[in-house]
Amino acid sequence: MKKRVLVASNRGPVSYEFGADGTLTGRRGGGGLVAGVAEGLAAMTPEAEVSWICAALSDADRAAAHTRAPEEPGAVPVRMLDIPPEIFDRAYNNVANCVLWFVQHLLFDTPNQPRFGREFHRDWAAYRVYNEAFADAMADEAVGTSAGVRVLIQDYHLSLAPRLLRDRLGGQAAEVGIAHFSHTPWAPPDYYRMLPAEVGEAVLDGMLGADHVGFHARRWAAAFLDCCEVILGARVNRSGGDPGPVGRVVHRGKVTEVAVHPLGVDAPALRARARAGDVRAHVTALRRAAGDRKLIVRVDRTELSKNVVRGLTAYRELLATRPEWHGRVVHLAFAYPSREAVPEYRAYTEQVRQIAAEITAEFRTPLWNPLILEVKDDYPRSLAACAVADVLLVNPIRDGMNLVAQEGPVLSERGCALVLSREAGAAATLDGDALLVNPYDVSETAVALHRGLAMPDAERRRRTEALAATAAASPPALWLGAQLASLDP
Ligand code: G6P
């Protein structure tokens, strides 16, 4: 009998748009979570009956949720939840993105933020309602199926859902395996306990409703175990293993396994995508624009944690301190729009544009444009940029994993030096061949950019091959398969 697998995440694998005539068209949803889960599922679909529960994110999605909009043949069936807009806005923007994301990435400007007052408690109540909507849908899908159901709940939007689902399943819970996976880092207890006590406890208790809790890197799993011990007073056993289980938490009489599952890339599929005509056309155009100059590339969402402003400042310092690169390097910075409903993100995008304009004004000559900033989402162009990069800059303040750091070496055509923040989860596996930097240290980052540009070709190619092999060693199918295997009785 086929296994039944349920996936739950805020953003689903498809998002809809209204055409001019009012018809709905679907297109693939964005982000590393969606890509990783979708590719992992594609590899196992023949042996499993899969469905994916997600939130409707727009009016077109809401319409699609009610009209059974057409799906691509062979696509995973998607159940979109039409959560009332006000509840969704409070849960997604105010709690998930403006509080939980900020906590896990250590993003607060603490003299001013956060301030947990009455308004926040209303937001928190909405977050609970949002999680309940997911738990209801999951229970509805799971109840009554005879084969053991495996439920894979994704990320900080759904931290309460594992416990809420377990409660709803009652006696059937023993036959259902529940896993939760965090694509973010996890904060140390001293920072985490900035959350109001009942909120910090509810998040941990909610996740511990799962049988298995996963993270991309050992550091994040260890911090989670620390929080369970310090904040909840739960019994914690730590063990070896990475990848694999790194500990167990006993809480309210239930044991939850905590494990590390690094997510890399499906290298053959990525390389095949990069051979398509649209990517090739961008490769040609970018090479023509660069001429014989070297290219420093970055590809990110315009996201506070991605540290785009310090990255640009480091490039400015490189040009200011090493005039030998004038006219010989171009920085291609792709920072595609993200979470534009959040004022901090809009202000950050403006800051990115501003500093880019300053760098251009300071160094541009009639024959040389030192910086190309593109604030738009263009996937084929991003792949092309990775293919032609001589240096790839990935300098997040903190990051659960980071896929670009892994995709870049896989896509690289002539070898690229990877300047990588030591605070990215990916640094745990790529540290041997990347140039690691402290993301706050602009001068160190500028020196690393210089080292990357000056690196001999043979060394750059050797390091790129090693980085690509590491990234390819944890493809999505393996990542997802390991989580499902951990739920087997
Ligand atoms: C990160 C999170 C994902 C999220 C993605 C894009 O990768 O871990 O859960 O989907 O960012 O963010 P968005 O808010 O646009 O879905």
Side-chain angles (χ1 to χ4, degrees):
M1 189 186 293
K2 280 194 170 189
K3 267 191 198 153
R4 179 100 175 87
V5 177
L6 290 181
V7 176
S9 64
N10 173 66
R11 185 177 289 280
V14 60
S15 61
Y16 289 92
E17 279 166 16
F18 286 117
D21 59 353
T23 53
L24 287 164
T25 44
R27 62 177 213 135
R28 209 186 95 155
L33 179 162
V34 164
V37 176
E39 287 164 29
L41 289 176
M44 56 166 298
T45 309
E47 305 108 60
E49 193 191 328
V50 181
S51 18
W52 193 323
I53 299 168
C54 62
L57 304 180
S58 63
D59 289 344
D61 281 359
R62 287 177 197 285
H66 296 289
T67 56
R68 288 200 52 80
E71 280 163 5
E72 282 173 40
V76 170
V78 175
R79 176 165 172 177
M80 273 195 177
L81 305 181
D82 180 359
I83 295 166
E86 196 205 322
I87 296 287
F88 176 79
D89 177 53
R90 287 179 181 270
Y92 171 69
N93 287 314
N94 300 1
V95 177
N97 287 343
C98 289
V99 173
L100 300 180
W101 179 272
F102 272 56
V103 167
Q104 304 303 12
H105 292 85
L106 319 183
L107 288 178
F108 283 118
D109 166 23
T110 50
N112 298 300
Q113 295 289 348
R115 293 177 209 179
F116 296 116
R118 275 193 307 169
E119 198 54 28
F120 172 74
H121 291 283
R122 246 172 259 149
D123 294 336
W124 177 247
Y127 180 82
R128 177 172 287 279
V129 172
Y130 164 100
N131 272 258
E132 281 167 351
F134 272 82
D136 287 341
M138 289 188 281
D140 179 45
E141 298 273 340
V143 165
T145 45
S146 44
V149 185
R150 304 282 174 260
V151 187
L152 304 174
I153 301 173
Q154 308 299 309
D155 243 350
Y156 56 99
H157 315 87
L158 293 173
S159 63
L160 306 181
R163 171 77 58 201
L164 294 170
L165 172 60
R166 181 167 295 282
D167 292 347
R168 279 161 177 67
L169 291 171
Q172 203 201 332
E175 297 144 39
V176 177
I178 307 175
H180 184 280
F181 193 89
S182 291
H183 295 260
T184 62
W186 197 270
D190 280 355
Y191 200 89
Y192 183 87
R193 67 175 157 208
M194 207 185 288
L195 289 169
E198 73 279 14
V199 171
E201 286 165 21
V203 166
L204 295 168
D205 176 69
M207 287 169 67
L208 292 173
D211 301 293
H212 187 87
V213 168
F215 295 90
H216 284 303
R218 191 182 177 94
R219 277 176 78 184
W220 319 140
F224 177 79
L225 291 172
D226 292 346
C227 284
C228 290
E229 201 166 51
V230 173
I231 313 267
L232 282 185
R235 207 171 82 228
V236 169
N237 301 314
R238 294 173 179 80
S239 55
D242 171 10
V246 293
R248 276 161 187 269
V249 183
V250 186
H251 176 59
R252 291 169 61 182
K254 164 154 185 46
V255 181
T256 300
E257 185 176 58
V258 177
V260 176
H261 300 289
L263 174 60
V265 299
D266 180 343
L270 191 60
R271 290 194 179 113
R273 178 67 187 87
R275 283 195 292 273
D278 53 354
V279 180
R280 300 321 307 162
H282 283 299
V283 165
T284 307
L286 290 173
R287 282 207 197 285
R288 192 170 306 135
D292 53 6
R293 299 184 176 102
K294 295 217 180 254
L295 276 175
I296 299 176
V297 169
R298 75 172 306 136
V299 180
D300 295 290
R301 292 186 291 118
T302 316
E303 154 65 62
L304 277 64
S305 67
K306 301 293 183 188
N307 211 17
V308 185
V309 168
R310 283 197 195 83
L312 291 173
T313 312
Y315 181 60
R316 175 189 254 169
E317 189 159 318
L318 171 83
L319 296 181
T321 55
R322 312 238 178 207
E324 69 265 32
W325 289 114
H326 290 193
R328 294 176 54 218
V329 64
V330 175
H331 184 15
L332 202 54
F334 290 172
Y336 56 89
S338 179
R339 302 185 187 163
E340 289 168 298
V342 180
E344 282 92 337
Y345 282 67
R346 290 200 301 271
Y348 192 72
T349 307
E350 267 325 295
Q351 222 184 321
V352 166
R353 289 187 200 276
Q354 172 68 30
I355 183 168
E358 284 169 21
I359 293 171
T360 304
E362 194 175 336
F363 295 101
R364 187 182 189 135
T365 68
L367 294 177
W368 173 52
N369 180 11
L371 175 65
I372 299 171
L373 171 71
E374 295 188 6
V375 185
K376 64 173 186 222
D377 186 2
D378 187 336
Y379 183 61
R381 194 160 166 84
S382 302
L383 295 183
C386 287
V388 300
D390 297 289
V391 176
L392 183 66
L393 174 59
V394 181
N395 66 323
I397 288 172
R398 227 166 134 80
D399 208 335
M401 188 66 182
N402 196 286
L403 276 184
V404 175
Q406 307 187 76
E407 289 169 344
V410 167
L411 290 165
S412 174
E413 294 181 351
R414 299 183 193 159
C416 78
L418 175 63
V419 175
L420 177 64
S421 164
R422 66 178 189 206
E423 305 302 321
T429 50
L430 302 179
D431 55 347
D433 290 285
L435 305 175
L436 290 194
V437 294
N438 167 357
Y440 302 96
D441 190 337
V442 169
S443 297
E444 186 190 33
T445 308
V447 170
L449 291 176
H450 169 71
R451 264 190 77 195
L453 290 170
M455 190 179 279
D457 288 349
E459 181 185 350
R460 192 161 51 224
R461 272 198 293 273
R462 181 188 57 71
R463 284 181 186 250
T464 304
E465 275 167 27
L467 292 166
T470 304
S474 311
L478 205 69
W479 171 76
L480 203 83
Q483 291 174 67
L484 283 173
S486 69
L487 295 177
D488 284 343

